[in-house]
Amino acid sequence: MSQRSWTIAVLPGDGIGPEVVSAAISVLEDCAREFGFSVDLVKLPFGGAAIDDSGEPLPPETLNECNAADAVLLGAVGGPRWDSQPLERRPESGLLALRRELGVYANVRPIRLREPLRALSPLRLAPSVTIDFEIIRELVGDIYFGVHSTEGHGAGERASDVATYTVPEIERITRFAFERARRRGHRVTSVDKANVLATSVLWRKTVTRLGAEAPDLTLDHLYVDNASMQIILRPQQFDVLLTSNLFGDILSDEAAALAGSIGMIPSWSAGDGPPLVEPIHGSAPQLVGQDVANPSGTILCISLLLRECFGQPEAASVIELALDRVLGAGLRTADVAEPGCTVVSGSQFTAGIRQQIRERVRDQTPVRAADAKPQSA
Ligand code: IPM
Ligand code: MG
């Protein structure tokens, strides 16, 4: 019998991390009940909160529990409280260490403009145009993980960051992107800066070599400056966009804006260790304590996890459908509000999704959009 029970390490982190994570967990628990599987949640200190407790953003105990789990669910890290700390004592360094320690080298960021949010895209899209592509971001190499150093003082101060890629690192992320493309539109666009950077020259050479062994795929290459323009001009040209760590970080925020809000985008990191899911947005300290954060990105992390890692595509689809129905009914958190919509709190929005999930599963008849409004809204 296939597995029906999973242990998930839960790292809420800082800022709005805890609230979006608790929204996502409530959705996960509903799905577990409705679809007959079980989850064992282990909540762990991480990020700035862990620095305040124990002096380290990734305490050894947290890492051990993550390694022992079937998956890791993470909220967000960072905040003004730790911004003046040296890089190695910032919450973000714990996030990078976690990714590296788990060996999750392949970060999948699905960029999808959900139909109810069409009018919110900053682009003037023809009605036939949809935005639906995947950014595959290499996650454990590049300038993020090279030596960062500063020396000297005052006007004489110098700083440097070292970017490195090896052939095996590029090969494994390329193979991963190729497999993703085989499940989609069979097109891969590799993004680099091979007219300037040595790492990019190696990247392009390696991707091109592997591409020659993949005749079923269409492979193109773009320089990152051009790619950032193409994402705005013609996002529909992309199917799988393969890129390095730093470029993927930048391009995914740009692409997320096309989907109406960065709050809408989940991510899944795969590799050697347990998978890690996290929304792509930050800790948004300015939103903390107001219950206004959009939990969609983290809720979609649950559907990614269920579909890609736990073999529960039905539950994943129900979550996505519930989300679309609530958005379609005009219940919106402030970041995706538009005229005629009802602006609700993050928890009211989550309650709407949970109600949709329960109704959807118990009563196979389609649920009317108006029914999505929670009583309190
Ligand atoms: C992301 C974030 C992180 C990154 C930060 C918080 C270190 O921006 O996941 O995109 O740069 O990878
Ligand atoms: Mg980022």
Side-chain angles (χ1 to χ4, degrees), residues 23 37 39 158 164 169 184 195 205 242 293 303 322:
F37 57 84
V39 284
R158 291 163 47 88
T164 306
E169 284 172 337
R184 300 177 45 101
N195 50 349
K205 189 165 89 179
L242 161 65
S303 82

Side-chain angles (χ1 to χ4, degrees), residues 77-78 92-93 95-96 99 107 109 137 139 144 245 248-250 252-253 267 278-282:
V77 287
E92 289 85 347
S93 73
L95 178 57
L96 302 189
R99 291 170 175 172
N107 179 232
R109 301 190 159 190
R137 169 188 177 192
L139 202 62
Y144 270 62
N245 202 347
D249 178 48
I250 298 167
S252 58
D253 272 30
S267 87
E278 49 178 321
I280 78 163
H281 62 69

Side-chain angles (χ1 to χ4, degrees), residues 255-299:
L258 306 187
S261 166
I262 195 169
M264 296 302 303
I265 308 295
S267 87
W268 160 46
S269 305
D272 306 326
L276 164 69
V277 288
E278 49 178 321
I280 78 163
H281 62 69
S283 61
Q286 74 283 5
L287 303 184
V288 174
Q290 303 165 53
D291 195 12
V292 293
N294 184 348
S296 300
T298 320
I299 290 172

Side-chain angles (χ1 to χ4, degrees), residues 40-56:
D40 183 12
L41 306 168
V42 187
K43 201 169 153 193
L44 300 156
F46 180 62
I51 294 182
D52 291 349
D53 268 12
S54 66
E56 329 180 44

Side-chain angles (χ1 to χ4, degrees), residues 65-78:
E65 293 284 353
C66 289
N67 267 316
D70 295 304
V72 181
L73 167 65
L74 192 150
V77 287

